[in-house]
Amino acid sequence: MSAHRRKTSHPARRPRHPRPRRFRIARTLLVAVCALAVMAAAGAWYVYRDLAGSIGSSKALEGAEKSKYGDTNILLMGLDSRRDQNGEKLPEEVLDKLHAGSSDIGGYNANTLILLHVPGDGSQAKAFSVPRDDFVDIAGPGPGQGQGKDKIKKAYGLAKAKEEERLSAQGAKDLRRLEREGREAGRKAQIETVRNFLGVPVDHFAELNLAGFYHLADALGGVPVCLKKPVQDKYSGADFPAGRQTLNGQQSLAFVRQRHGLDMGDLDRTKRQQAFLAGATQKLNSAGTFTDPVKLMKLIDAAKQDVVTDEGWDLLSFVKQAKNLSGGKVAFTTLPIERFGRNHGEDVNVVDDMKIKRLIAEQIGPGSSASAAAPSPSGAPEAPPGAGPAAPAPTASGSPAIDGGGIPCVD
């Protein structure tokens, strides 16, 4: 081949011009955005795995009936326990902050019982508070092991004690095993008792111990509440002015525990619990918790200490859904009682089981098959002297009044 042909076989190349600076900047930004997206996805996956793997899980709902049409019923249970998930006493410094007395007080009563109904069609959610002293049929730790009629709050503790006695009789001595299996029996009994009383399925549950209110409020940086009038109570430690205010962890626990000095006692305390739930949910959104990794991790760390949920519940999806439950978007109702009564020397709330089931069925519709459960016998205890049939709350109590900021105002 001649040099001439080699020379002409390659046409002259055009000189390369440098790309505009704005193009290079755009490309760099695009790469950075992609990298951040990958990091965010990895971070979200880590947070989800950490959340799902660290929060206590329970098989108490294994094989249970589920709601229909995409509806979801969630039972929120607050235990009046001064012990951690392993049955160990809470540290004295924690008990001092809780203003809750000795770790031997309280037992395993479910003093807070709220059924949260989230419709599958996206319509308004409803929350039904069950007064803790309602006199109902108590389920046992296993099928056919009913424990007669008693205060609804006792189902958990009674079943737990019964299961621990059974295991001990078989030779079980491991205290952690007794605590773990006893609590599982307690959860099953408490859920079944509420399910039978209301006539609806329970799809998920969340259990929170006494310290949980403290840690939740602390993780949120305080919870907004509103009081109609100032209160002061030496038993709970409540000492608050009237009006809207933000409570820290210690104050929040005092707020939800106060019943002395309130006109309706426990029934007013139930409204306090509703107000705390509404304020905490609003704070989740307004504080940017869902988009702030530091705040989210703090909340998750709090949940690890105090929360137990049913196994397999996709909490990440529910957390996202919970963003739509704030700002007064939940209708709260306290279930009605007929009158006060006495049972073995204790004050109880006499209730009409059939009326309760009808009310629930009317409020949440057929999606949760509320009408399927048969009413239980009334078995009403004797009324105390002077307590006539027109005693407190013959009908359901609606939501507390909402102030200008969307926070319920309560007594």
Side-chain angles (χ1 to χ4, degrees), residues 5 43 67 105 197 238 307 403:
R5 290 186 63 184
S67 296
I105 299 174
F197 179 48
V307 178
D403 75 355

Side-chain angles (χ1 to χ4, degrees), residues 210-378:
L210 194 62
F213 288 97
Y214 172 86
H215 290 134
L216 174 60
D218 184 59
L220 290 173
V223 172
V225 301
C226 177
L227 284 168
K228 296 178 183 177
K229 56 188 178 183
V231 295
Q232 191 171 30
D233 172 40
K234 66 177 182 179
Y235 297 99
S236 65
D239 187 1
F240 310 122
R244 179 169 175 164
Q245 54 207 286
T246 297
L247 307 183
N248 62 27
Q250 186 171 350
Q251 293 170 325
S252 293
L253 185 62
F255 176 79
V256 297
R257 290 184 65 237
Q258 184 186 1
R259 62 189 175 94
H260 295 281
L262 302 179
D263 292 341
M264 297 299 294
D266 265 351
L267 298 181
D268 279 339
R269 175 158 71 170
T270 296
K271 292 182 180 180
R272 295 283 189 91
Q273 295 164 0
Q274 296 170 355
F276 175 86
L277 182 61
T281 307
Q282 187 188 73
K283 188 63 179 287
L284 279 171
N285 286 338
S286 62
T289 306
F290 296 103
T291 55
D292 186 325
V294 174
K295 291 180 179 178
L296 186 58
M297 288 305 297
K298 189 174 182 181
L299 185 62
I300 290 172
D301 286 339
K304 290 177 189 177
Q305 300 179 67
D306 310 303
V307 178
V308 176
T309 68
D310 55 289
E311 191 174 69
W313 186 9
D314 188 347
L315 283 175
L316 189 62
S317 294
F318 179 71
V319 165
K320 293 177 180 177
Q321 186 181 35
K323 294 174 69 174
N324 300 320
L325 301 180
S326 62
K329 294 179 182 177
V330 180
F332 287 96
T333 299
T334 300
L335 296 180
I337 67 173
E338 301 303 303
R339 65 181 189 275
F340 294 130
R342 300 279 290 177
N343 180 63
H344 298 301
E346 294 185 327
D347 293 329
V348 298
N349 301 331
V350 180
V351 294
D352 184 330
D353 297 40
M354 196 58 191
K355 178 189 289 187
I356 297 293
K357 290 179 173 64
R358 283 198 303 267
L359 183 149
I360 296 292
E362 291 167 359
Q363 290 286 322
I364 68 178
S368 289
S369 59
S371 60
S376 58
S378 63

Side-chain angles (χ1 to χ4, degrees), residues 23-64:
F23 178 83
R24 294 198 305 273
I25 294 174
R27 183 180 63 180
T28 302
L29 287 174
L30 178 61
V31 172
V33 168
C34 291
L36 287 173
V38 171
M39 291 173 63
W45 173 242
Y46 170 78
V47 167
Y48 176 71
R49 286 183 59 192
D50 188 53
L51 181 66
S54 302
I55 290 181
S57 62
S58 163
K59 296 184 179 180
L61 283 175
E62 201 171 61

